[in-house]
Amino acid sequence: SATEIPELHTVLLGCADGYVGKWNWHTGVNEQLPYLPRPVGAVIKLGIKLAVSCKERSMMGMGKLFEGMKELNLQTFLDHTVAKMPGVDMNWKCVHSIKDFFFGSAMGKVKAIAYVPTNVRFVTGSSDGRVRYWNSRTGTLLRVMGFHRGPVNAVVGNLVKQEAISGGDDGTIRVWCLEKGIQKFLFIQD
C-alpha cells in the first residue's frame, strides 16, 4: 500500500517486513520507519540480555559503543552492534527480539497506509490487527490502536476530523479517534 503527503514532498510505502518506507522526492532522502528512540540504558540492558540468550558474547561490552548518547533508535543500535562489530553474527531471532523491544510488539506486514491531511500525519494497518498513528515529519509512532481480529486490509484518514477508518479480515469496519487513540464506532458485517 502507498500514500502521498504533498506538503512534505513525500511518498510512504507499507512494507511486508513491518517497516514503512518514506521517500522525499524533493531531496531524494529515503528512510525506514519506525524510527523510535529509546533510552540508551534500557537498550544496553536489553542488548546484554539478548547477547547472553543468543550466545553473542562479543556484544557484552557494548555499553562503551554508546557513551555520551542519551537515546538510540533501532537503526543506530543495529548499525553499531550488528554491522560494525567484528565477529558478530546475530541470528534473526535476536534481531527480531530487539525490533520488538523498539516497536513495543511485532508489527507484522504493513498492509494498508493512508495520509491524514488534517495534521500531516498518517495511519497504517498491519497484519497483527492493529492500526497505528504516526507523525509524518519525525517518523514517531504516536498511538497503537486495535484490535481487529485478523489483518487490517484498508485504512483511510478523515479529511476534516482527527479520525481514521479501518477495515479488516474480521468483517468489521472501525472508526478511530486519533487524538485519544480509541475506537469510536464498530460496524459488523452480517
Side-chain angles (χ1 to χ4, degrees), residues 110-137:
V110 178
K111 298 185 64 138
I113 189 166
Y115 174 45
V116 181
T118 52
N119 61 3
V120 193
R121 297 197 174 156
F122 68 97
V123 290
T124 58
S126 300
S127 61
D128 67 357
R130 293 184 174 100
V131 174
R132 290 174 173 82
Y133 181 47
W134 304 83
N135 182 315
S136 300
R137 295 184 196 280

Side-chain angles (χ1 to χ4, degrees), residues 1-189:
S1 183
T3 193
E4 174 187 10
I5 303 177
E7 294 94 329
L8 300 179
H9 309 284
T10 301
V11 173
L12 301 171
L13 178 66
C15 302
D17 62 2
Y19 286 98
V20 172
K22 180 180 175 184
W23 176 68
N24 183 307
W25 69 76
H26 184 71
T27 65
V29 173
N30 191 19
E31 296 177 68
Q32 276 191 322
L33 306 178
Y35 192 78
L36 305 174
R38 295 283 191 224
V40 170
V43 174
I44 291 171
K45 189 183 288 186
L46 172 76
I48 291 170
K49 178 180 171 189
L50 290 171
V52 170
S53 68
C54 297
K55 296 179 179 37
E56 297 293 344
R57 304 285 183 218
S58 53
M59 287 182 63
M60 297 299 285
M62 72 180 188
K64 293 179 183 178
L65 289 172
F66 307 113
E67 283 180 336
M69 297 175 96
K70 293 182 182 178
E71 290 184 334
L72 282 175
N73 62 50
L74 175 64
Q75 193 60 54
T76 303
F77 178 80
L78 292 176
D79 286 349
H80 281 79
T81 57
V82 178
K84 295 188 179 174
M85 287 184 73
V88 174
D89 184 26
M90 293 183 80
N91 65 40
W92 280 108
K93 182 178 178 184
C94 291
V95 172
H96 285 293
S97 296
I98 293 167
K99 190 174 165 183
D100 291 351
F101 170 75
F102 276 91
F103 300 160
S105 65
M107 288 177 41
K109 294 178 183 178
V110 178
K111 298 185 64 138
I113 189 166
Y115 174 45
V116 181
T118 52
N119 61 3
V120 193
R121 297 197 174 156
F122 68 97
V123 290
T124 58
S126 300
S127 61
D128 67 357
R130 293 184 174 100
V131 174
R132 290 174 173 82
Y133 181 47
W134 304 83
N135 182 315
S136 300
R137 295 184 196 280
T138 65
T140 303
L141 179 62
L142 302 172
R143 302 227 189 300
V144 178
M145 299 166 285
F147 213 103
H148 281 270
R149 289 181 178 85
V152 177
N153 295 319
V155 291
V156 65
N158 190 317
L159 295 175
V160 293
K161 296 180 181 178
Q162 289 297 302
E163 293 178 347
I165 302 167
S166 62
D169 271 2
D170 60 359
T172 64
I173 295 173
R174 299 167 191 257
V175 179
W176 304 96
C177 172
L178 298 175
E179 290 176 306
K180 296 178 182 177
I182 60 171
Q183 180 179 292
K184 291 177 70 174
F185 300 105
L186 170 65
F187 301 96
I188 302 172
Q189 180 181 359

